[in-house]
C-alpha cells in the first residue's frame, strides 16, 4: 500500500473523525502492507501531541486497530512494547485513559503476551486509574481485563498478593451498572479461592454484600440481556464462597429473612441454603436457634409458597451441615440441643386436640429428619411413638387421617437416610405397632382412611431393614385383598400403586401371592366386583399388571398371562376394549423396561413372535378382533417400541425374519408357516395388506443399515400399495414405509434415482383429470407429502421441489384438503423420529416454515374463493408447529390471513386459529392491536357458535385476554363486550358459562384498577 494513502487515512481519522479510515489501516496491517513499527512511528507525532484531544484520538485509533487484527499477529517483543506504551498512557490526561484501557483490553487477549506483562497491566490499572470515575463502558474494560487474566493467567496474578485484593475492592466499590456487576461477581469467588484475602475479609464482604438483596428490574426490551436472576446467582456465589464470611453473612441473612418483601425473604433463604452447602459446620454454631425460628415462622404463616419451600430447604441443609460436625470429631451436644429444641416445640402442636398446625410441623420435621442419619433417628424415635399414641386416643376419622398422613411422611424420609447396614432402622422398635394400626385401618368404614393406610403399606415395603419376610407377606396379603375386595375405586388404585412399590423390592412375594390368583382369574373368566358395564374391574386388573411389572421375573409372568387371555377372547367382539387395554398395558411395560437386556431378549423370543403369529393367522378370518385397525395399531406399536432399542445385529436379524415372512410366507423364524397369503399384493384383501405395518414397526424403525435389506421388488410393491390401495390404513402405512426408506437411504446416487422415479410416477397421478382416477390422485397426494416429509427431515436438495408442488395443489379443489394435511404431516412427530433412527436435521421445522409461509401467503391472494380455506388450513398447521420466536418475526404480514381464517365456516380451522391467536394476544400486542376491530367482531360471532362447545370456549378465552392489549385500544369496546358477554351467560353448557364469567370479569375491571 502506498505510504501516502494509509498516512492520509490516519490523518482523516485523527483530524476528521472519519471512522471508515480505520478499515484501510486494519486491512493494511493484516496483509502486512503496514508494519507495526512504521505505523507507530507515524502515529508518534499525534501520540506526543500537546493537544490531549489529539493524543486521545491517536491512542483510540491504535486501540481500534489492535481489536481488529488477529490475536497472534504480533511477536512477544512487539506485544511487550505495546504493553509498556499503554501502561504509560494511563498516566496521561484523563481523556486518554479510556482509549488506553481499550488497547489493554485487546492486548489481554493476545497469544504472545509475555509472562509478567499481565502483572504490569493490572498494577498500572489499579495504581493509575480511578475506576469508578470512568464511564460504564470503560469500567467494563477494566473488569474484563481482570476477569480474563483471572481465567488465563491466575498463577502470575497471585504474585500480587494482598495488593491485588485491595486494588480490586477499590475498583469495584460503588459499581452500579448490572452489566459490570455480572463480571465483578464472577471474579470475586476466584479471588477468594486463590488469594490470601483474610486481612481484608470484612471489607471484601462489605463491598460485596451491599448489593444484597438484588432489586434490579431490567427493562422489558433490554438489549443487553442482563436478568435479575443472573445477578442474584452471581452475588449468591460470592456470599457463599468462603466460611470466613459466615460471621458477617449469617447475621445479615437473619435480618433480611424478617423483611416484609417476599422477594427479599426468598433470596435470603436461598442464599442461606447456598451458604449451608459451602460453609463448614462450625460456622453455624450459635445461629441454629435463629435459623430455626425464622424457618418455623415462614412455614407456620404459609403466606408465600415459594418462601415456605425455600425456608424448608434452608433448614434441611443447615441441619445437614451441622450434623456433619459429628464426623469431624466435634461435640454432638450442640446438635442434640438444637434437635431437642425443634422436637420440643413441634411436640407442643402435635399434642393439641385440634391438630391445627400438624401439617406445618410435619413439613419442618421431614426437612430436619431428611438432613442426616442422627437427625432422622432422633425425630422418628421421638415423634412417631407420640403420634401413634395420639392415634389410639383419637375418635374422629379426620384426626386419624391427619396423624397417619404425618406418620407416613416421616417414615418415607427414612428411605433416603438411614441406609447404613451398621445401624438398625429408627422405626424398628415400633414396627409392629405401625403394622397393627395400618392393618386395623383396612377394616374401617372410612374409604379415605383405608386409602391412606394402603399408602402407608406402600411406604413400609420400600424401607430398608424394617420389615422381615413375615411382615412383607402380611402386607402383601392386605394389599391383594384390598385390590380385589375393596368397594372404592380410589382404594383399589392405591393398592395397585403400593403393589408396584412392593414388586420393585419384593418381586418374589408378589409373584408367589398375586400371580396364581390372577392366572386363575383369567382362566376362569370370573371377574370380581363388576360394575354395571362389566368392564371396570377387568380393566383395573389389567392396568394394575402394568403398574407392578417392574422386575424381570414379574414381566416374564405377566406378559404371557395377558397374551393368553386376549388371544382367548379374540373372537368376542364385546371384548375389543379389553384387548385394547391389555395391549396398551403391554406397551407401557415394554416402554419402561426396554433398556434392560434380559427383558429385550424375552420380548424378541416370546412377545414379538406371538404377536406376529396372531396377526398373520387372523388376517384370513372375518370374525377375528385382531384384524381391527386399532388392534393392529396397538400390536405394531409394541413391536416398534422394542425394535427401536435393538442393537445393529439384533435389528438386522429381526428385519430379515420379517421381510422373509412378508415376502414368502416363511415365518419359521417366528415359529410358524402360512400358505396362500399375498400380503404385498394390491389385489389382496385389506385384512392381509394392512400387515405391512409390521415392516414399518421393524425394518423402518431400526438402525439405518437395515433399510437397504428392502430389495427393489419389495420397494415397488410398497409403492404400488401406497398409490393404488383403496384401504386407508394400508395406503398410509405403505406411504410411511416409502418415507422411511427415502429418509434413511445412505447412497446419495441411488437415492436420487429412486426419488426421481417416484416423482415422475406420482406427478402422472396428480395431474390425472379423469374422475374415475380420483382415488389414485388422492393416494398420490398422500404419498407425495410423506415423501416430502422424508426429504425435508434429512435436508435433501430436492425437498424444495416437492414442497412447491404441495403448495401449488392447495389451489386444487379436489386435492387441496389433502395437500393442507400434508403440512401437518411434515411438522408432526410420528414414525420418522430420532427414536426410530430417522435422519432428522436440527431446526427443520423453522426452515420449513420460513420456506413455505411467504409462498402460501402469495398463493392465498391469487387462489379461487373455494380454495382459499386450504391455504388457511396449511397456514394454521404451520403456526401450531413452529416456535414462538419464528412465528412472531413473520406475524405482521400474515394477520389478514388469520382474520380471514376466522371468517371461514370450518370448525377445525376456526379452533386451530383461535388456539394460535390466544398466546399472540399477549406476546405480540402491538401487532394484534392493529386488527383488533376485525378480530373482536369475528371472535364474538364464534363465541355464539352453537355447533362446537370447544370453539366457543376458545373464543371466550381470546375475548378475555383482549383486555391485556394497550388500554387506549380496547377501552372503547368495554361496554359493548359487557353487554355481549351478559347474553352469553345463558349458554347451555356449564364449562362455557364459566369461561363467560372469567372473560366478563376482565372486561368489567378494565380501567378500574389502573391505579
Amino acid at each position: 500500500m502506498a505510504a501516502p494513502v494509509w498516512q492520509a487515512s490516519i490523518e482523516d481519522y485523527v483530524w476528521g473523525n472519519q471512522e471508515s479510515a480505520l478499515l484501510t489501516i486494519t486491512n493494511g496491517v493484516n496483509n502486512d502492507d503496514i508494519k507495526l513499527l512504521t505505523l507507530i512511528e507515524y502515529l508518534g507525532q499525534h501520540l506526543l501531541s500537546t493537544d490531549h484531544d489529539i493524543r486521545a484520538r491517536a491512542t483510540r485509533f491504535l486501540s481500534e486497530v489492535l481489536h481488529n487484527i488477529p490475536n497472534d499477529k504480533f511477536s512477544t517483543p512487539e506485544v511487550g512494547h505495546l504493553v509498556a506504551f499503554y501502561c504509560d498512557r494511563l498516566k496521561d490526561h484523563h481523556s486518554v485513559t479510556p482509549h488506553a484501557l481499550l488497547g489493554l483490553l485487546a492486548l489481554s487477549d493476545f497469544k504472545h503476551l509475555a509472562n509478567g506483562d499481565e502483572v504490569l497491566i493490572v498494577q498500572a490499572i489499579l495504581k493509575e486509574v480511578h475506576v469508578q470515575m470512568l464511564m460504564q463502558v470503560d469500567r467494563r474494560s477494566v473488569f474484563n481485563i481482570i476477569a480474563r487474566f483471572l481465567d488465563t493467567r491466575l498463577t502470575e496474578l497471585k504474585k500480587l498478593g494482598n495488593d491485588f485484593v485491595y486494588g480490586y475492592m477499590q475498583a469495584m466499590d460503588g459499581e452500579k451498572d448490572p452489566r459490570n456487576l455480572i463480571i465483578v461477581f464472577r471474579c470475586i469467588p476466584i479471588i477468594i479461592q486463590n488469594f490470601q484475602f483474610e486481612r481484608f475479609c470484612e471489607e471484601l464482604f462489605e463491598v460485596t454484600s451491599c448489593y444484597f438483596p438484588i432489586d434490579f428490574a431490567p427493562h422489558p426490551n433490554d438489549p443487553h440481556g442482563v436478568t435479575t436472576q443472573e445477578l442474584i446467582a452471581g452475588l449468591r456465589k460470592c456470599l457463599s464462597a468462603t466460611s470466613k464470611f459466615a460471621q458477617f453473612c449469617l447475621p445479615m441473612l437473619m435480618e433480611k429473612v424478617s423483611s416484609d418483601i417476599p422477594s427479599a425473604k426468598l433470596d435470603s433463604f436461598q442464599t442461606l441454603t447456598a451458604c449451608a452447602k459451602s460453609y463448614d459446620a462450625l460456622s453455624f454454631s450459635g445461629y441454629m436457634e435463629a435459623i430455626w425460628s425464622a424457618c418455623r415462622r415462614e412455614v407456620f404463616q404459609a403466606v408465600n409458597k415459594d418462601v415456605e419451600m425455600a425456608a424448608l430447604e434452608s433448614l434441611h441443609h443447615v441441619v445437614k451441615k451441622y450434623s456433619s460436625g459429628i464426623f469431624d470429631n466435634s461435640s454432638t451436644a450442640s446438635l442434640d440441643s438444637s434437635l431437642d429444641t425443634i422436637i420440643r416445640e413441634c411436640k407442643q402442636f402435635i399434642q393439641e386436640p385440634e391438630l391445627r398446625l400438624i401439617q406445618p410441623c410435619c413439613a419442618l420435621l421431614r426437612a430436619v429428619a431428611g438432613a442426616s442419619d442422627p437427625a432422622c433417628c432422633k425425630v422418628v424415635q421421638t415423634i412417631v411413638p407420640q403420634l401413634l399414641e395420639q392415634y389410639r386416643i383419637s375418635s374422629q376419622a379426620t384426626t386419624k387421617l391427619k396423624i397417619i398422613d404425618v406418620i407416613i411422611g416421616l417414615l418415607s424420609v427414612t428411605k433416603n437416610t438411614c441406609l447404613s447396614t451398621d445401624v438398625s432402622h429408627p422405626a424398628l422398635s415400633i414396627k409392629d405397632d405401625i403394622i397393627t394400626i395400618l392393618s386395623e385401618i383396612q377394616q374401617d368404614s372410612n374409604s379415605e382412611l383405608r386409602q391412606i393406610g394402603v399408602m402407608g403399606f406402600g411406604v413400609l415395603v420400600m424401607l430398608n431393614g424394617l420389615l422381615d419376610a413375615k411382615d412383607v407377606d402380611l402386607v402383601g396379603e392386605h394389599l391383594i385383598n384390598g385390590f380385589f375386595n375393596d368397594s372404592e375405586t380410589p382404594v383399589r388404585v392405591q393398592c395397585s400403586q403400593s403393589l408396584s412399590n412392593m414388586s420393585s423390592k419384593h418381586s418374589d412375594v408378589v409373584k408367589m401371592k398375586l400371580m396364581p390368583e390372577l392366572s386363575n382369574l383369567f382362566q376362569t373368566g370370573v371377574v370380581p366386583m363388576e360394575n354395571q358395564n362389566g368392564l371396570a374391574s377387568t380393566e383395573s386388573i389389567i392396568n394394575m399388571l402394568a403398574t407392578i411389572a417392574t422386575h424381570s421375573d414379574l414381566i416374564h409372568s405377566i406378559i404371557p398371562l395377558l397374551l393368553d387371555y386376549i388371544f382367548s377372547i379374540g373372537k368376542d367382539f364385546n371384548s375389543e376394549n379389553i384387548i385394547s387395554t391389555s395391549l396398551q398395558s403391554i406397551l407401557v411395560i415394554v416402554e419402561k423396561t426396554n433398556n434392560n437386556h434380559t427383558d429385550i431378549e424375552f420380548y424378541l423370543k416370546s412377545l414379538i413372535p406371538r404377536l406376529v403369529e396372531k396377526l398373520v393367522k387372523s388376517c384370513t378370518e372375518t370374525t377375528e378382533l385382531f384384524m381391527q385397525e386399532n388392534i393392529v395399531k396397538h400390536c405394531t406399536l409394541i413391536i416398534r417400541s422394542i425394535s427401536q432399542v435393538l442393537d445393529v445385529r439384533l435389528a438386522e436379524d429381526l428385519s430379515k425374519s420379517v421381510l422373509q415372512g412378508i415376502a414368502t410366507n416363511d415365518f419359521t423364524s417366528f415359529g410358524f408357516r402360512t400358505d396362500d397369503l399375498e400380503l404385498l399384493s394390491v389385489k389382496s384383501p385389506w385384512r392381509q395388506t394392512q400387515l405391512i405395518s409390521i415392516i414399518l414397526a421393524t425394518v423402518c424403525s431400526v438402525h439405518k443399515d437395515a433399510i437397504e435389506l428392502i430389495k427393489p421388488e419389495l420397494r415397488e410393491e410398497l409403492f404400488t400399495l401406497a398409490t393404488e390401495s383403496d384401504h386407508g390404513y394400508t395406503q398410509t402405512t405403505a406411504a410411511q414405509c416409502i418415507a422411511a426408506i427415502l429418509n434413511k437411504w445412505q447412497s446419495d446416487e441411488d437415492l436420487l434415482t429412486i426419488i426421481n422415479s417416484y416423482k415422475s410416477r406420482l406427478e402422472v397421478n396428480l395431474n390425472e383429470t379423469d374422475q374415475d382416477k380420483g382415488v389414485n390422485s388422492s393416494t398420490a397426494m398422500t404419498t407425495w407429502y410423506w415423501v416430502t416429509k422424508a426429504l425435508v427431515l434429512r435436508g435433501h436438495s430436492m425437498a424444495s421441489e416437492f414442497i412447491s408442488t404441495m403448495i401449488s395443489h392447495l389451489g386444487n379443489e379436489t386435492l387441496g384438503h389433502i395437500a393442507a394435511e400434508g403440512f401437518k404431516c411434515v411438522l408432526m412427530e410420528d414414525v420418522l423420529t430420532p427414536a426410530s433412527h430417522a435422519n432428522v436435521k436440527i431446526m427443520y421445522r423453522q426452515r420449513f416454515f420460513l420456506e413455505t409461509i411467504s409462498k402460501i401467503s402469495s398463493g392465498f391472494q391469487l387462489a379461487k374463493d373455494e380454495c382459499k380455506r386450504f391455504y388457511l388450513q396449511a397456514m394454521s398447521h404451520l403456526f401450531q408447529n413452529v416456535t414462538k420466536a419464528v412465528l412472531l418475526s413473520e406475524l405482521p404480514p400474515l394477520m389478514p390471513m388469520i382474520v380471514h381464517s376466522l371468517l371461514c365456516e370450518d370448525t377445525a380451522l376456526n379452533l386451530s386459529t383461535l388456539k394460535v391467536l390466544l398466546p399472540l394476544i399477549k406476546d405480540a400486542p402491538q401487532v394484534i392491536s392493529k386488527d383488533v376491530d376485525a378480530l373482536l367482531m369475528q371472535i364474538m360471532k364464534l363465541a355464539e357458535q352453537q355447533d362446537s362447545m370447544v370453539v366457543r370456549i376458545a373464543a371466550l378465552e381470546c375475548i378475555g385476554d383482549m383486555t391485556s392489549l394497550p388500554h387506549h385500544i380496547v377501552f372503547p369496546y368495554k361496554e359493548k363486550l359487557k353487554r355481549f358477554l351478559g347474553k352469553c351467560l345463558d349458554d347451555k353448557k356449564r364449562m362455557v358459562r364459566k369461561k363467560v364469567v372469567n372473560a366478563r370479569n376482565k372486561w368489567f375491571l378494565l380501567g378500574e384498577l389502573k391505579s
Side-chain angles (χ1 to χ4, degrees):
M1 183 183 296
V5 176
W6 66 263
Q7 290 175 1
S9 297
I10 293 178
E11 297 299 326
D12 288 341
Y13 186 95
V14 174
W15 294 100
N17 294 328
Q18 294 184 23
E19 304 294 333
S20 59
L22 179 65
L23 180 62
T24 303
I25 302 301
T26 302
N27 290 336
V29 174
N30 283 335
N31 298 330
D32 292 326
D33 295 332
I34 304 173
K35 300 300 181 183
L36 174 65
L37 181 60
T38 306
L39 175 64
I40 294 178
E41 283 178 348
Y42 183 79
L43 272 175
Q45 58 180 317
H46 302 300
L47 293 171
L48 299 176
S49 171
T50 56
D51 186 338
H52 58 76
D53 288 334
I54 297 299
R55 295 201 305 276
R57 288 290 297 171
T59 306
R60 177 77 182 189
F61 179 82
L62 182 59
S63 298
E64 292 285 3
V65 171
L66 295 179
H67 272 280
N68 287 281
I69 61 176
N71 66 357
D72 58 352
K73 183 70 177 175
F74 297 144
S75 65
T76 300
E78 289 174 322
V79 174
H81 290 311
L82 287 170
V83 168
F85 165 74
Y86 275 111
C87 288
D88 187 61
R89 288 302 88 198
L90 294 178
K91 303 174 184 178
D92 202 341
H93 190 270
H94 64 81
S95 63
V96 179
T97 301
H99 310 301
L101 290 172
L102 184 66
L104 289 172
L105 178 62
L107 291 173
S108 69
D109 193 40
F110 273 34
K111 288 186 177 180
H112 298 140
L113 184 71
N115 288 338
D117 282 351
E118 66 283 322
V119 174
L120 295 176
I121 293 173
V122 173
Q123 279 181 323
I125 290 174
L126 297 181
K127 180 181 178 181
E128 304 295 342
V129 179
H130 298 286
V131 177
Q132 289 305 313
M133 300 293 289
L134 300 174
M135 299 291 288
Q136 181 273 330
V137 65
D138 304 319
R139 301 198 305 274
R140 186 176 180 84
S141 294
V142 171
F143 295 130
N144 273 324
I145 291 169
I146 294 174
R148 183 171 291 162
F149 285 151
L150 285 172
D151 288 337
T152 60
R153 296 178 175 248
L154 180 59
T155 304
E156 294 297 321
L157 279 192
K158 289 170 72 173
K159 296 175 182 178
L160 290 173
N162 286 334
D163 291 341
F164 174 77
V165 178
Y166 181 74
Y168 187 80
M169 287 193 304
Q170 281 190 319
M172 66 166 282
D173 190 10
E175 180 60 55
K176 294 183 176 64
D177 192 276
R179 292 165 288 180
N180 292 347
L181 286 174
I182 288 287
I183 306 170
V184 168
F185 292 158
R186 186 169 68 84
C187 294
I188 290 175
I190 301 175
I191 294 171
I192 289 173
Q193 292 162 14
N194 294 281
F195 288 81
Q196 296 294 325
F197 69 95
E198 288 80 359
R199 181 179 171 186
F200 306 109
C201 184
E202 185 172 0
E203 291 81 0
L204 182 57
F205 177 79
E206 286 179 357
V207 297
T208 306
S209 63
C210 65
Y211 299 103
F212 185 87
I214 296 287
D215 59 357
F216 167 70
H219 191 275
N221 298 316
D222 180 18
H224 306 291
V226 178
T227 66
T228 306
Q229 208 54 44
E230 285 176 327
L231 287 170
I232 290 173
L235 179 56
R236 187 171 296 153
K237 288 179 180 178
C238 298
L239 297 177
S240 61
T242 174
S243 297
K244 295 181 175 65
F245 278 172
Q247 58 180 318
F248 314 112
C249 187
L250 294 180
M252 179 191 73
L253 294 178
M254 291 301 96
E255 177 186 349
K256 298 297 184 182
V257 294
S258 301
S259 170
D260 294 329
I261 305 172
S263 61
K265 285 186 178 184
L266 181 63
D267 195 1
S268 299
F269 278 119
Q270 290 175 341
T271 303
L272 179 59
T273 300
C275 292
K277 293 178 181 179
S278 59
Y279 289 0
D280 57 38
L282 190 60
S283 301
F284 293 93
S285 178
Y287 293 99
M288 279 299 298
E289 185 174 347
I291 293 172
W292 159 246
S293 298
C295 295
R296 179 193 60 200
R297 181 176 62 251
E298 291 306 321
V299 175
F300 279 3
Q301 290 177 353
V303 176
N304 184 297
K305 188 66 176 176
D306 291 335
V307 175
E308 181 184 349
M309 297 306 297
L312 289 170
E313 187 177 6
S314 295
L315 181 63
H316 171 84
H317 284 284
V318 169
V319 174
K320 183 177 182 179
K321 177 61 70 172
Y322 207 44
S323 300
S324 67
I326 297 173
F327 305 105
D328 298 330
N329 297 320
S330 302
S331 173
T332 63
S334 297
L335 175 63
D336 287 339
S337 175
S338 299
L339 292 176
D340 287 340
T341 300
I342 294 171
I343 291 171
R344 182 174 63 253
E345 293 188 20
C346 288
K347 282 180 71 175
Q348 295 176 15
F349 300 106
I350 290 174
Q351 291 170 350
E352 285 184 353
E354 298 85 358
L355 298 178
R356 291 173 301 168
L357 295 174
I358 192 169
Q359 292 300 337
C361 282
C362 176
L364 289 164
L365 290 170
R366 288 182 65 178
V368 172
S372 66
D373 285 0
C376 183
C377 291
K378 195 169 187 69
V379 170
V380 171
Q381 291 172 351
T382 307
I383 296 296
V384 175
Q386 176 69 36
L387 290 170
L388 292 173
E389 185 62 30
Q390 285 285 101
Y391 179 87
R392 292 189 185 94
I393 63 176
S394 300
S395 57
Q396 295 183 354
T398 54
T399 302
K400 291 182 175 182
L401 200 63
K402 291 179 181 179
I403 294 172
I404 293 297
D405 188 31
V406 173
I407 292 174
I408 293 172
L410 291 175
L411 290 175
S412 63
V413 173
T414 65
K415 177 185 174 183
N416 300 317
T417 51
C418 307
L419 302 177
S420 174
T421 55
D422 300 332
V423 181
S424 61
H425 195 280
L428 190 60
S429 61
I430 51 174
K431 172 194 66 174
D432 293 339
D433 293 336
I434 296 172
I435 293 176
T436 299
I437 286 178
L438 294 179
S439 299
E440 291 173 354
I441 287 176
Q442 301 312 305
Q443 310 304 319
D444 198 283
S445 59
N446 187 297
S447 61
E448 290 185 23
L449 200 53
R450 296 200 304 276
Q451 184 179 352
I452 201 166
V454 170
M455 187 188 302
F457 280 138
V459 170
L460 289 182
V461 296
M462 295 295 291
L463 303 180
N464 294 313
L466 181 60
L467 303 184
D468 56 28
K470 182 180 177 182
D471 297 326
V472 174
D473 286 346
L474 179 61
V475 171
E477 289 174 3
H478 280 297
L479 293 177
I480 293 170
N481 181 64
F483 178 80
F484 285 113
N485 299 316
D486 200 286
S487 58
E488 297 293 334
T489 300
V491 180
R492 296 198 300 272
V493 171
Q494 187 60 59
C495 286
S496 174
Q497 294 172 353
S498 294
L499 282 168
S500 175
N501 291 349
M502 176 175 278
S503 66
S504 63
K505 297 282 286 186
H506 308 282
S507 61
D508 54 333
V509 176
V510 176
K511 183 177 180 180
M512 179 180 65
K513 289 188 171 294
L514 180 62
M515 295 311 297
E517 189 165 344
L518 288 173
S519 179
N520 180 63
L521 179 68
F522 283 125
Q523 288 175 6
T524 60
V526 178
V527 181
M529 299 179 308
E530 293 186 346
N531 61 12
Q532 292 180 356
N533 61 24
L535 298 175
S537 188
T538 305
E539 291 179 349
S540 66
I541 292 171
I542 293 169
N543 289 330
M544 183 267 289
L545 289 174
T547 303
I548 67 171
T550 57
H551 194 276
S552 295
D553 288 345
L554 288 170
I555 292 170
H556 299 173
S557 300
I558 288 172
I559 287 182
L561 181 64
L562 284 174
L563 291 178
D564 290 342
Y565 176 62
I566 60 177
F567 290 171
S568 69
I569 59 173
K571 296 183 183 298
D572 181 2
F573 277 77
N574 292 323
S575 301
E576 184 173 351
N577 286 341
I578 295 296
I579 294 176
S580 296
T581 301
S582 300
L583 291 171
Q584 182 62 35
S585 294
I586 293 175
L587 178 61
V588 169
I589 295 171
V590 168
E591 287 179 341
K592 70 182 181 181
T593 59
N594 61 11
N595 58 351
N596 185 305
H597 182 70
T598 302
D599 293 333
I600 291 295
E601 288 186 349
F602 170 76
Y603 297 147
L604 286 173
K605 294 177 180 177
S606 303
L607 177 55
I608 290 181
R610 294 193 65 182
L611 288 176
V612 171
E613 181 178 5
K614 185 63 177 177
L615 291 173
V616 172
K617 289 186 175 180
S618 299
C619 70
T620 57
E621 300 182 24
T622 58
T623 60
E624 177 60 62
L625 271 173
F626 275 81
M627 277 300 95
Q628 298 295 319
E629 182 179 317
N630 68 317
I631 303 296
V632 174
K633 284 181 178 179
H634 280 304
C635 292
T636 52
L637 278 175
I638 294 170
I639 297 172
R640 179 184 171 200
S641 181
I642 300 167
S643 302
Q644 289 173 343
V645 298
L646 298 179
D647 60 37
V648 176
R649 181 183 61 81
L650 292 176
E652 189 170 321
D653 290 344
L654 177 61
S655 299
K656 288 179 179 177
S657 298
V658 168
L659 293 175
Q660 179 182 349
I662 296 289
T664 66
N665 292 330
D666 182 9
F667 288 95
T668 52
S669 297
F670 296 104
F672 70 99
R673 286 187 62 87
T674 60
D675 297 314
D676 303 327
L677 292 180
E678 297 183 23
L679 302 181
L680 293 169
S681 172
V682 73
K683 297 178 181 179
S684 297
W686 62 266
R687 294 178 180 82
Q688 295 183 27
T689 58
Q690 70 177 352
L691 293 187
I692 59 171
S693 57
I694 299 175
I695 297 178
L696 183 64
T698 52
V699 186
C700 297
S701 297
V702 298
H703 290 279
K704 297 176 184 179
D705 297 339
I707 279 292
E708 301 196 14
L709 294 173
I710 299 178
K711 302 300 181 186
E713 299 80 9
L714 178 55
R715 289 204 311 269
E716 180 61 28
E717 289 174 307
L718 288 172
F719 185 80
T720 303
L721 286 171
T723 54
E724 298 182 19
S725 175
D726 58 359
H727 180 236
Y729 180 58
T730 297
Q731 188 269 321
T732 301
T733 304
Q736 290 172 339
C737 289
I738 293 295
I741 293 169
L742 296 178
N743 180 264
K744 296 183 181 182
W745 200 269
Q746 299 185 50
S747 171
D748 292 337
E749 186 176 343
D750 292 345
L751 176 64
L752 197 59
T753 303
I754 297 170
I755 293 173
N756 284 321
S757 171
Y758 289 167
K759 180 173 180 286
S760 59
R761 293 167 65 183
L762 288 171
E763 284 175 336
V764 172
N765 286 346
L766 289 176
N767 298 326
E768 183 63 61
T769 57
D770 189 343
Q771 294 296 321
D772 295 334
K773 300 293 184 179
V775 173
N776 279 356
S777 60
S778 297
T779 56
M781 189 72 250
T782 302
T783 306
W784 186 279
Y785 68 63
W786 275 105
V787 172
T788 304
K789 179 183 179 77
L791 302 181
V792 168
L793 261 62
R794 70 179 292 163
H796 196 274
S797 58
M798 287 193 68
S800 296
E801 296 181 36
F802 280 79
I803 292 172
S804 297
T805 301
M806 274 177 58
I807 295 174
S808 68
H809 278 80
L810 292 172
N812 186 303
E813 295 181 40
T814 305
L815 301 177
H817 69 287
I818 304 176
E821 192 67 19
F823 286 84
K824 178 181 178 182
C825 169
V826 171
L827 294 170
M828 67 185 291
E829 286 199 3
D830 38 55
V831 294
L832 295 180
T833 63
S836 294
H837 309 281
N839 191 349
V840 181
K841 297 295 184 183
I842 189 171
M843 296 182 73
Y844 81 89
R845 287 188 177 89
Q846 288 86 334
R847 286 194 295 273
F848 181 71
F849 176 87
L850 294 174
E851 182 176 349
T852 57
I853 193 63
S854 59
K855 296 177 182 178
I856 291 175
S857 180
S858 302
F860 172 79
Q861 304 298 331
L862 302 174
K864 297 179 289 186
D865 289 343
E866 54 268 28
C867 294
K868 285 184 179 291
R869 63 189 179 94
F870 302 139
Y871 288 90
L872 295 173
Q873 288 170 357
M875 179 195 69
S876 177
H877 292 319
L878 289 174
F879 282 178
Q880 291 183 74
N881 291 280
V882 76
T883 60
K884 186 188 298 182
V886 175
L887 176 56
L888 291 177
S889 66
E890 302 292 324
L891 184 61
L894 301 176
M895 282 306 297
M897 289 183 70
I898 292 178
V899 174
H900 200 100
S901 65
L902 296 174
L903 296 170
C904 291
E905 295 183 1
D906 184 328
T907 300
L909 177 60
N910 295 154
L911 180 60
S912 62
T913 304
L914 288 170
K915 287 182 177 179
V916 169
L917 189 61
L918 185 61
L920 293 178
I921 293 171
K922 292 186 176 180
D923 293 331
Q926 299 304 322
V927 178
I928 300 297
S929 295
K930 295 177 182 179
D931 295 283
V932 69
D933 189 64
L935 287 170
L936 264 178
M937 296 306 102
Q938 191 53 36
I939 293 173
M940 287 166 65
K941 292 179 181 178
L942 293 176
E944 295 181 303
Q945 187 189 79
Q946 296 303 310
D947 296 339
S948 172
M949 180 185 74
V950 290
V951 169
R952 298 201 301 278
I953 288 175
L956 289 165
E957 288 177 341
C958 288
I959 290 173
D961 281 0
M962 285 285 189
T963 56
S964 66
L965 296 176
H967 185 268
H968 68 282
I969 298 291
V970 293
F971 188 76
Y973 300 95
K974 178 176 178 178
E975 296 303 321
K976 183 176 183 179
L977 265 296
K978 283 164 57 178
R979 290 193 298 271
F980 169 76
L981 292 170
K983 293 188 296 183
C984 292
L985 286 170
D986 294 331
D987 197 283
K988 59 186 178 181
K989 293 293 186 181
R990 182 185 62 82
M991 293 179 66
V992 176
R993 294 196 299 272
K994 184 177 179 181
K995 294 295 181 181
V996 173
V997 171
N998 290 339
R1000 195 162 179 254
N1001 286 343
K1002 291 180 179 179
W1003 281 94
F1004 262 104
L1005 294 173
L1006 182 65
E1008 300 299 327
L1009 301 178
K1010 196 67 178 176
S1011 60

